[in-house]
Amino acid sequence: MNSVGGFGIANVDIIFGNARRMPKLGEEVYSESCSKQLGGGAVATLIQLSRLGVPVKLATYIGDGPLSRYLVKELEKDKIEYNNMLSTDEEDPVTLSCVVSCRQDRGIISYKPKEAAFAVDKKKIYEFYEGCRIAFLSLEQKELCKPLKEAGCTIVLDSAWSDMLSLEWYYDAFPYVDYFIPNSMEAMKITRTDTPVQALERLSEHLKKPIVKNGNAGCLYKENKELHIIDPLPVRHVDSTGAGDAFAAGFMYGLYYGYDLGDCIRFGNITGGNAVTEMGCLSAVMDEEKLLKYFYEIYGREKKIS
């Protein structure tokens, strides 16, 4: 049980950066830059985690098309070993997104093949995760929380936005989740509350150590009935794409090496903050040496001696 496991559909982003503004219908707006990069999700998180020196175990879907070939090239560049879960004849079983980033915010339009392209036996997914020290799961994999927890894995449940988010979706998973890491918008949507603090309090009814990421206001968490706020990394913001994925990587770095919850969140704030300083999910590189340097300089914390 020496690795962090994650399984998810890969995303490829075409990013138009530094546009003056978002185009209106019928308009054409030019951007200052354009690039193709791997996008967010479990693939991005595990690449970030691998760059921090943590052994990872990645599963995704890879076909024979141009996007799949690009994905393989990028994984090999970061020396990531992977399991291909594709069992259909889909040429490119990835999500393709066009991202327009401007000063005010960003807009995204995406295409993903139909769900039938991603058919995979649930037993195969369980066997992939079995034996991992930490299982990084998505909501779609929530039925694995119970058996993997019982098998000895630490369960980190990721969150993603949906207009249909509700607490009811999580009732059967939360008893087996060690850490759930939503951002404030997701947390408020799930709990039907109006503030991040209210969302944290509501989540504390279901989780022993609830966490709510709150952007440039830091990160909230509750432990032993006490509410805590960890300040964010002070950075110059360029693009928010991938901040949550990078936070998850830093957070699980801390978990992997046995740091307490507050320090795990500090690591997450560092990696998440670093990610927004460049355009795209994986452009701002963070290695373990840089992470520990910020850990000491920003938060006054020392490397844990095992």
Side-chain angles (χ1 to χ4, degrees):
M1 300 184 66
N2 291 320
S3 61
V4 177
F7 169 42
I9 301 168
N11 296 275
V12 176
D13 291 348
I14 308 297
I15 304 174
F16 295 87
N18 301 315
R20 185 165 46 87
R21 59 177 175 80
M22 298 295 293
K24 298 177 183 177
L25 288 177
E27 287 187 338
E28 181 179 20
V29 173
Y30 281 84
S31 66
E32 294 180 9
S33 65
C34 179
S35 62
K36 179 168 70 172
Q37 303 182 26
L38 289 184
V43 173
T45 294
L46 265 65
I47 289 175
Q48 296 267 23
L49 196 52
S50 176
R51 290 174 178 177
L52 298 175
V54 175
V56 301
K57 186 179 178 185
L58 171 67
T60 189
Y61 303 92
I62 299 173
D64 298 319
L67 295 177
S68 293
R69 291 196 295 272
Y70 173 76
L71 169 60
V72 169
K73 184 183 75 172
E74 293 299 299
L75 292 175
E76 290 177 347
K77 186 191 302 181
D78 274 288
K79 298 180 174 59
I80 304 293
E81 296 183 5
Y82 56 86
N83 292 35
N84 186 1
M85 294 294 208
L86 185 67
S87 60
T88 68
D89 59 0
E90 182 66 36
E91 183 180 49
D92 267 322
V94 305
T95 298
L96 177 64
S97 296
C98 175
V99 182
V100 179
S101 180
C102 60
R103 185 181 63 183
Q104 297 89 342
D105 205 340
R106 58 185 174 141
I108 304 172
I109 185 166
S110 299
Y111 169 77
K112 185 176 82 169
K114 293 181 180 179
E115 288 302 317
F118 305 103
V120 61
D121 183 66
K122 291 183 179 179
K123 182 181 178 182
K124 186 177 180 181
I125 302 174
Y126 172 81
E127 290 172 348
F128 163 77
Y129 278 110
E130 192 177 26
C132 290
R133 184 187 302 182
I134 299 172
F136 182 51
L137 303 178
S138 64
L139 179 60
E140 292 78 11
Q141 300 161 347
K142 67 176 184 177
E143 71 276 3
L144 293 173
C145 291
K146 183 177 186 290
L148 288 174
K149 179 67 177 175
E150 291 173 346
C153 297
T154 296
I155 307 299
V156 178
L157 184 62
D158 197 15
S159 183
W161 178 262
S162 166
D163 289 335
M164 303 299 290
L165 280 176
S166 73
L167 201 53
E168 287 74 18
W169 287 12
Y170 296 90
Y171 281 152
D172 53 346
F174 275 166
Y176 309 100
V177 170
D178 294 287
Y179 303 99
F180 178 50
I181 48 175
N183 64 35
S184 56
M185 295 299 293
E186 293 160 350
M188 289 187 290
K189 178 71 173 177
I190 290 166
T191 58
R192 297 187 177 94
T193 53
D194 298 320
T195 70
V197 172
Q198 290 174 355
L200 186 77
E201 293 293 350
R202 186 72 194 281
L203 288 172
S204 72
E205 298 171 11
H206 304 275
L207 297 161
K208 291 181 180 178
K209 299 177 181 180
I211 299 165
V212 175
K213 299 174 292 184
N214 199 22
N216 59 14
C219 185
L220 310 171
Y221 73 101
K222 194 172 183 181
E223 188 174 27
N224 298 323
K225 299 183 179 180
E226 291 188 13
L227 190 150
H228 305 269
I229 301 176
I230 304 292
D231 291 332
L233 183 73
V235 294
R236 176 178 161 273
H237 179 275
V238 174
D239 176 39
S240 298
T241 305
D245 304 301
F247 176 94
F251 181 81
M252 289 190 289
Y253 170 92
L255 283 183
Y256 186 84
Y257 287 112
Y259 287 84
D260 64 34
L261 180 56
D263 282 345
C264 290
I265 289 171
R266 290 180 179 93
F267 284 127
N269 281 358
I270 293 168
T271 50
N274 181 70
V276 307
T277 62
E278 304 259 356
M279 194 67 64
C281 282
L282 295 167
S283 298
V285 177
M286 172 73 71
D287 59 19
E288 186 178 30
E289 182 180 358
K290 185 177 178 182
L291 178 70
L292 293 171
K293 179 174 179 286
Y294 281 155
F295 189 55
Y296 175 74
E297 291 181 352
I298 304 299
Y299 295 115
R301 314 291 283 186
E302 299 282 357
K303 178 181 178 180
K304 185 180 179 70
I305 305 299
S306 52

